[in-house]
DNA sequence: CTGAAAGCGCTTACAG
DNA sequence: CTGAAAGCGCTTACAG
């Protein structure tokens, strides 16, 4: 392994000088700088990041903490898109990314405390949060820099990048109501996620504002899996007063919903309209093409890295949370106006 | 930050002794060990990994190199499943994972050489390879430990974990031939990937063995995207002698194929049968449910980590490449026997 | 503008 | 079984 000393010797200067050349120290003669840089290139020298980290107390690395049942996340296109946004900006800013996950629920702080106390990363990106999240408490107690992608109810001051998910669900529901629907159901996600909670609230708000009944039979909770949507339909459609429209928490879940409806012999959108969330690439190719709220997934990841780097630089955060705008993409699955309603 | 010296002082021993306790050195009295461990716990001490790495020349970290157009990969459920296998075993073995990607094609060795020369990782996992891959040449020249998930034609001695992709495509094609199909098409992936190449070969071998014609009009190359499959169909189905069955390189691509066929008014499997690869969770819920070759995606990732750790331990690799077994999951999309053929 | 020296938090022969 | 010392490859006041 070739070190800073080797370069120094070859260039006829001291190791300190080489170090200064590497870090573009202002008070170094351009002559010396050029000479040293030439030799570094010739020798294909790269600084040892571990040594650098040890003295600088900085790692140029960001940690990504995946929530525990990563299985679910990984089955979701949404996650890939988020990761893509993260990687793009981190790479651009010369940061490395360390991927970590909770090892077991019995010891859920284990992974995070290894990262934090082992000084392996400069800051942490939290992908999603539970309604009560000990990881956030831990990071706040440690005063360790982090950004949450999502929203925390219990830690309102935590730096967050999120959509306005009450509003996303409000918009989706209102769109269906505007088509004349009076009985709108909601296929939700895991109840311990803030995301599910917020969207449920937005859904209820929209019904209330329209003076429509909320009916608990029209709300079902599940997971972010196609199977979840698939299974929920037999129950829904057998209700005496079944919904004529559905808001579905996630595109994948909506695929399961569409499949179940097809098997049960219902037509979308004529028999029942569907709007979901995330607008993954596949939504457009579903049968029928799926109306979906585009939440700017890539932008969420990208922005989260920007915010975290600001924190690391000690910059002031002009606003918190940072809200990524969403918009409803209307496709065939909700393009059906109920008769008798203008 | 609390260091090994602080612990030593509190325990009334030397830093060397604390270090030995941490690494479970055999010649340490259990009395001393207990005492030191107690204090470490009380003080919530965690060793500084950077310092440890600097002297031990080891990082307990594995690098994951993503191929460049990561966009494609990330849109693919397949990738999530692979990553899940990697994370599971790496975490279990107390290794961290560094996620990296080529920054630009003009400087494709930049990211990898930062990892290798910066000594940030102990070994590297390569996700997929191109037919001519400078990254593999680089790693071999540097004698840096790595495992390729996939197969390299130009570097047959590189450690690899792969399916037998000639065989996977052979099996898929043979299954269709067994249903009586005489005109079988192939929707392939990017031609510069070894994977595409191998599966095309398996497809051709199967045709040849059955004494059937290969027809270049029945072969189309594209990307691992739904759109790719979608677009390929208008061409295929307008051929005078169009195929009655299709082998499709990837489930996502197959979704696009199914969608296009539905729009064009063809029934699957009656008008045309389809078999694809990867058997992602969604395959089962497609309309119709998709026959697919299960390639053991999770196992590929998991095994790749196992192999890489073996290399790091200096163990001998009993075989190379390691082949993960596959199996055909037959579903409705290929369950139709052409009349006049037993 | 440059160098010598101390130090980052660990590990590991060497000695006892 | 344990400690003192040297060293891993860097950076950074301090001095000139």
């Amino acid at each position: 392994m070739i070190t800073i000393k080797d370069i120094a010797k070859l260039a006829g200067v001291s190791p300190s000088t080489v170090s200064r050349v590497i870090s573009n120290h202002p008070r170094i003669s351009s002559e010396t700088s050029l000479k040293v840089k030439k030799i570094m290139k010739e020798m294909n020298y790269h600084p040892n990041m571990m040594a650098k980290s040890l003295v600088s107390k900085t790692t140029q690395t960001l940690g990504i903490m995946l929530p525990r049942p990563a299985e679910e996340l990984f089955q979701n296109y949404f996650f890939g898109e988020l990761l893509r946004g993260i990687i793009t900006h981190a790479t651009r800013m010369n940061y490395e990314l360390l991927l970590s996950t909770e090892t077991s629920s019995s010891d859920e702080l284990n992974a995070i405390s290894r990262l934090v106390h082992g000084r392996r990363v400069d800051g942490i990106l939290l992908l999603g949060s539970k309604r009560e999240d000990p990881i956030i408490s831990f990071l706040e107690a440690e005063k360790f820099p982090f950004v949450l992608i999502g929203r925390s109810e219990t830690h309102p001051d935590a730096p967050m990048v999120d959509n306005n998910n009450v509003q996303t669900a409000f918009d989706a529901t209102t769109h269906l109501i505007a088509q004349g629907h009076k009985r709108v159901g909601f296929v939700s996600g895991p109840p311990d996620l803030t995301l599910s909670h917020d969207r449920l609230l937005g859904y209820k708000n929209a019904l209330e504002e329209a003076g429509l009944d909320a009916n608990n039979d029209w709300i079902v909770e599940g997971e972010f899996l196609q199977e979840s949507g698939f299974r929920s339909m037999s129950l829904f459609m057998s209700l005496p007063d079944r919904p004529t429209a559905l808001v579905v928490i996630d595109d994948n879940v909506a695929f399961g919903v569409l499949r179940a409806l097809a098997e049960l012999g219902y037509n979308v959108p004529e028999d029942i309209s569907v709007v979901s969330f995330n607008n993954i690439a596949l939504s457009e190719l579903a049968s029928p093409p799926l109306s979906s709220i585009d939440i700017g997934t890539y932008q969420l990841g990208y922005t989260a890295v920007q915010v975290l780097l600001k924190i690391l630089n000690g910059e002031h955060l002009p606003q918190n949370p940072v809200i990524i705008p969403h918009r409803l993409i209307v496709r065939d699955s909700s393009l059906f106006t109920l008769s008798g309603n203008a």
Side-chain angles (χ1 to χ4, degrees), chain A:
Chain A
M1 164 138 227
I2 153 152
T3 75
I4 212 170
K5 282 188 190 172
D6 302 316
I7 301 299
K9 196 165 294 176
L10 287 166
V13 297
S14 75
S16 336
T17 300
V18 176
S19 174
R20 290 189 182 101
V21 170
I22 293 170
S23 56
N24 286 315
H25 189 103
R27 285 200 291 251
I28 215 86
S29 77
S30 64
E31 188 193 6
T32 307
S33 174
L34 251 37
K35 182 173 57 180
V36 171
K37 278 181 177 159
K38 179 159 163 286
I39 292 178
M40 290 197 298
K41 181 158 283 180
E42 279 173 16
M43 301 298 293
N44 194 21
Y45 167 77
H46 292 251
N48 180 317
M49 297 315 285
M50 297 303 152
K52 187 177 172 130
S53 289
L54 181 58
V55 23
S56 70
K57 311 258 179 238
T58 186
T59 61
Q60 286 290 113
T61 304
L62 268 24
I64 300 177
M65 265 316 265
L66 304 174
R68 249 274 287 171
E71 294 76 12
E72 261 181 48
L73 251 192
F74 281 131
Q75 292 203 15
N76 208 314
Y77 278 96
F78 164 72
F79 170 74
E81 189 65 11
L82 189 62
L83 204 51
R84 195 163 75 80
I86 293 172
I87 292 184
T88 303
H89 197 238
T91 302
R92 180 168 300 158
M93 301 304 284
N94 278 310
Y95 273 80
E96 307 284 349
L97 255 13
L98 204 65
L99 205 56
S100 194
T101 187
E102 298 166 40
T103 41
S104 69
S105 51
S106 63
D107 193 8
E108 53 188 338
L109 291 178
N110 186 44
I112 191 97
S113 88
R114 265 173 63 184
L115 286 191
V116 169
H117 290 126
R119 300 282 147 184
R120 307 240 8 189
V121 298
D122 295 343
I124 288 183
L125 294 163
L126 255 29
L127 302 200
S129 80
K130 290 170 292 190
R131 293 191 61 192
E132 287 280 346
D133 202 330
I135 290 186
I136 299 180
S137 309
F138 172 83
L139 290 169
E140 290 197 333
E142 295 283 335
K143 297 193 188 311
F144 198 83
F146 75 97
V147 168
L148 170 62
I149 301 179
R151 190 173 81 82
S152 168
E153 294 166 75
T154 45
H155 302 266
D157 295 333
M160 298 178 272
V161 176
D162 197 11
N163 304 106
N164 182 337
N165 274 307
V166 177
Q167 190 67 41
T168 59
F170 184 93
D171 291 355
T173 310
T174 299
H175 163 64
L176 291 170
I177 293 171
Q179 309 284 81
H181 293 280
K182 305 235 175 277
R183 299 195 304 276
V184 181
F186 186 56
V187 179
S188 186
D192 60 333
L193 293 187
T194 302
L195 179 72
S196 307
H197 184 248
D198 285 354
R199 288 188 181 161
L200 182 61
L201 181 61
Y203 157 80
K204 285 182 173 168
N205 287 353
L207 292 185
E208 190 178 331
E209 191 169 303
L212 295 177
D213 287 341
N215 183 334
N216 279 334
D217 286 348
W218 299 344
I219 299 173
V220 63
E221 284 162 347
E223 299 171 82
F224 286 125
L225 299 173
Q226 311 91 281
E227 287 78 14
S228 202
F230 187 84
R231 272 179 274 126
S232 62
M233 281 305 100
S234 48
L235 173 70
F236 256 55
M237 299 308 280
S238 64
L239 291 174
D241 223 29
R242 67 163 184 83
T244 61
L246 290 176
V247 178
V248 182
I249 192 94
D250 172 83
D251 291 330
N252 276 298
V253 179
F255 293 148
V257 164
L258 291 182
R259 172 88 183 120
L261 290 173
E263 285 200 3
L264 294 169
Y266 293 98
N267 290 319
V268 176
E270 294 80 1
D271 298 325
I272 185 159
S273 292
V274 177
V275 175
S276 65
F277 296 84
N278 295 358
N279 192 34
I280 65 177
L282 221 53
S283 310
E284 203 171 348
L285 292 171
S287 334
L290 201 53
S291 295
S292 190
I293 298 270
D294 189 318
I295 60 168
T297 311
Y298 179 91
Q299 207 61 28
L300 278 168
Y302 195 98
T303 306
V305 172
Q306 284 185 317
V307 171
L308 185 51
L309 294 185
K310 267 194 186 146
I311 294 174
L312 293 180
N313 287 331
E315 290 175 41
H316 174 249
L317 296 184
Q319 68 209 27
N320 187 50
V322 176
I323 297 295
I324 304 297
H326 62 273
R327 67 179 206 281
L328 172 65
I329 311 293
V330 177
R331 300 199 184 91
D332 291 355
S333 72
S334 68
L335 274 183
F336 183 73
T337 306
L338 275 195
S339 57
N341 301 274

